[in-house]
mmCIF file of all heavy atoms in Angstrom:
data_model
loop_
_atom_site.group_PDB
_atom_site.id
_atom_site.type_symbol
_atom_site.label_atom_id
_atom_site.label_comp_id
_atom_site.label_asym_id
_atom_site.label_seq_id
_atom_site.Cartn_x
_atom_site.Cartn_y
_atom_site.Cartn_z
ATOM 1 N N LEU A 978 95.982 100.350 103.739
ATOM 2 C CA LEU A 978 95.989 100.234 105.234
ATOM 3 C C LEU A 978 96.001 98.820 105.524
ATOM 4 O O LEU A 978 95.027 98.017 105.205
ATOM 5 C CB LEU A 978 94.544 100.903 105.694
ATOM 6 C CG LEU A 978 94.245 100.785 107.225
ATOM 7 C CD1 LEU A 978 95.313 101.326 108.044
ATOM 8 C CD2 LEU A 978 92.927 101.561 107.469
ATOM 9 N N VAL A 979 97.038 98.362 106.151
ATOM 10 C CA VAL A 979 97.367 96.947 106.428
ATOM 11 C C VAL A 979 97.078 96.631 107.818
ATOM 12 O O VAL A 979 97.238 97.443 108.747
ATOM 13 C CB VAL A 979 98.867 96.658 106.012
ATOM 14 C CG1 VAL A 979 99.157 95.221 106.180
ATOM 15 C CG2 VAL A 979 99.112 97.206 104.633
ATOM 16 N N ASP A 980 96.681 95.345 108.137
ATOM 17 C CA ASP A 980 96.288 94.945 109.384
ATOM 18 C C ASP A 980 97.386 94.130 110.076
ATOM 19 O O ASP A 980 97.894 93.072 109.554
ATOM 20 C CB ASP A 980 95.049 94.042 109.316
ATOM 21 C CG ASP A 980 94.107 93.987 110.534
ATOM 22 O OD1 ASP A 980 94.666 94.230 111.626
ATOM 23 O OD2 ASP A 980 93.055 93.674 110.376
ATOM 24 N N CYS A 1019 92.637 96.922 116.582
ATOM 25 C CA CYS A 1019 92.155 97.286 115.283
ATOM 26 C C CYS A 1019 91.181 98.432 115.292
ATOM 27 O O CYS A 1019 91.296 99.532 114.651
ATOM 28 C CB CYS A 1019 91.575 96.161 114.501
ATOM 29 S SG CYS A 1019 92.742 94.821 114.117
ATOM 30 N N GLY A 1020 90.061 98.301 116.001
ATOM 31 C CA GLY A 1020 88.929 99.205 115.911
ATOM 32 C C GLY A 1020 89.259 100.626 116.223
ATOM 33 O O GLY A 1020 89.160 101.567 115.460
ATOM 34 N N PRO A 1021 89.720 100.853 117.544
ATOM 35 C CA PRO A 1021 90.072 102.199 117.948
ATOM 36 C C PRO A 1021 91.182 102.794 117.131
ATOM 37 O O PRO A 1021 91.152 104.069 116.838
ATOM 38 C CB PRO A 1021 90.460 102.045 119.433
ATOM 39 C CG PRO A 1021 89.829 100.757 119.831
ATOM 40 C CD PRO A 1021 89.797 99.931 118.654
ATOM 41 N N SER A 1022 92.210 102.001 116.838
ATOM 42 C CA SER A 1022 93.330 102.486 115.998
ATOM 43 C C SER A 1022 92.810 103.047 114.618
ATOM 44 O O SER A 1022 93.201 104.102 114.203
ATOM 45 C CB SER A 1022 94.346 101.459 115.736
ATOM 46 O OG SER A 1022 95.310 101.826 114.841
ATOM 47 N N ARG A 1023 91.893 102.338 113.999
ATOM 48 C CA ARG A 1023 91.463 102.793 112.736
ATOM 49 C C ARG A 1023 90.496 104.008 112.806
ATOM 50 O O ARG A 1023 90.531 104.898 111.999
ATOM 51 C CB ARG A 1023 90.707 101.562 111.932
ATOM 52 C CG ARG A 1023 91.636 100.547 111.553
ATOM 53 C CD ARG A 1023 91.025 99.222 111.159
ATOM 54 N NE ARG A 1023 92.084 98.235 110.895
ATOM 55 C CZ ARG A 1023 92.412 97.975 109.570
ATOM 56 N NH1 ARG A 1023 91.789 98.513 108.559
ATOM 57 N NH2 ARG A 1023 93.397 97.120 109.281
ATOM 58 N N VAL A 1024 89.658 104.000 113.871
ATOM 59 C CA VAL A 1024 88.812 105.232 113.952
ATOM 60 C C VAL A 1024 89.715 106.468 114.232
ATOM 61 O O VAL A 1024 89.493 107.517 113.749
ATOM 62 C CB VAL A 1024 87.881 105.033 115.178
ATOM 63 C CG1 VAL A 1024 87.195 106.316 115.573
ATOM 64 C CG2 VAL A 1024 86.779 104.046 114.789
ATOM 65 N N SER A 1025 90.824 106.264 115.011
ATOM 66 C CA SER A 1025 91.643 107.360 115.295
ATOM 67 C C SER A 1025 92.416 107.885 114.058
ATOM 68 O O SER A 1025 92.408 109.076 113.876
ATOM 69 C CB SER A 1025 92.755 106.861 116.304
ATOM 70 O OG SER A 1025 93.699 107.873 116.635
ATOM 71 N N LEU A 1026 92.963 107.011 113.276
ATOM 72 C CA LEU A 1026 93.704 107.431 112.085
ATOM 73 C C LEU A 1026 92.713 107.964 110.998
ATOM 74 O O LEU A 1026 93.241 108.843 110.163
ATOM 75 C CB LEU A 1026 94.629 106.328 111.575
ATOM 76 C CG LEU A 1026 94.025 105.112 110.845
ATOM 77 C CD1 LEU A 1026 93.849 105.317 109.400
ATOM 78 C CD2 LEU A 1026 94.863 103.869 111.168
ATOM 79 N N LEU A 1027 91.493 107.515 110.959
ATOM 80 C CA LEU A 1027 90.566 108.079 109.983
ATOM 81 C C LEU A 1027 89.844 109.359 110.379
ATOM 82 O O LEU A 1027 89.182 109.919 109.583
ATOM 83 C CB LEU A 1027 89.517 106.946 109.708
ATOM 84 C CG LEU A 1027 90.076 105.693 108.877
ATOM 85 C CD1 LEU A 1027 89.089 104.507 108.992
ATOM 86 C CD2 LEU A 1027 90.259 106.123 107.387
ATOM 87 N N LYS A 1072 89.124 95.765 104.422
ATOM 88 C CA LYS A 1072 88.982 96.197 105.809
ATOM 89 C C LYS A 1072 89.515 97.579 106.029
ATOM 90 O O LYS A 1072 90.767 97.764 105.954
ATOM 91 C CB LYS A 1072 89.634 95.171 106.760
ATOM 92 C CG LYS A 1072 89.489 95.521 108.232
ATOM 93 C CD LYS A 1072 90.146 94.460 109.075
ATOM 94 C CE LYS A 1072 89.998 94.942 110.511
ATOM 95 N NZ LYS A 1072 90.608 93.970 111.468
ATOM 96 N N VAL A 1073 88.713 98.508 106.181
ATOM 97 C CA VAL A 1073 89.136 99.947 106.501
ATOM 98 C C VAL A 1073 88.745 100.247 107.922
ATOM 99 O O VAL A 1073 89.598 100.288 108.776
ATOM 100 C CB VAL A 1073 88.479 100.910 105.420
ATOM 101 C CG1 VAL A 1073 88.975 102.341 105.748
ATOM 102 C CG2 VAL A 1073 88.941 100.501 104.008
ATOM 103 N N TYR A 1074 87.509 100.570 108.168
ATOM 104 C CA TYR A 1074 87.060 100.610 109.557
ATOM 105 C C TYR A 1074 86.856 99.139 110.051
ATOM 106 O O TYR A 1074 86.754 98.179 109.261
ATOM 107 C CB TYR A 1074 85.630 101.238 109.715
ATOM 108 C CG TYR A 1074 85.648 102.737 109.563
ATOM 109 C CD1 TYR A 1074 85.430 103.384 108.346
ATOM 110 C CD2 TYR A 1074 85.854 103.500 110.677
ATOM 111 C CE1 TYR A 1074 85.394 104.709 108.248
ATOM 112 C CE2 TYR A 1074 85.884 104.918 110.636
ATOM 113 C CZ TYR A 1074 85.687 105.529 109.406
ATOM 114 O OH TYR A 1074 85.650 106.974 109.305
ATOM 115 N N HIS A 1075 87.045 98.934 111.320
ATOM 116 C CA HIS A 1075 86.916 97.539 111.902
ATOM 117 C C HIS A 1075 85.427 97.090 111.659
ATOM 118 O O HIS A 1075 85.326 95.943 111.373
ATOM 119 C CB HIS A 1075 87.278 97.553 113.349
ATOM 120 C CG HIS A 1075 87.218 96.170 113.957
ATOM 121 N ND1 HIS A 1075 88.173 95.222 113.746
ATOM 122 C CD2 HIS A 1075 86.312 95.602 114.787
ATOM 123 C CE1 HIS A 1075 87.825 94.133 114.314
ATOM 124 N NE2 HIS A 1075 86.761 94.308 115.022
ATOM 125 N N ASP A 1246 97.806 99.595 111.001
ATOM 126 C CA ASP A 1246 97.044 100.070 112.039
ATOM 127 C C ASP A 1246 97.707 99.896 113.373
ATOM 128 O O ASP A 1246 97.457 100.670 114.361
ATOM 129 C CB ASP A 1246 95.609 99.378 112.127
ATOM 130 C CG ASP A 1246 95.723 97.849 112.117
ATOM 131 O OD1 ASP A 1246 96.793 97.297 112.210
ATOM 132 O OD2 ASP A 1246 94.556 97.251 112.163
#
Side-chain angles (χ1 to χ4, degrees):
L978 179 52
V979 185
D980 204 341
C1019 295
S1022 174
R1023 289 164 181 264
V1024 168
S1025 175
L1026 68 90
L1027 287 164
K1072 183 177 178 180
V1073 178
Y1074 284 95
H1075 183 75
D1246 56 358

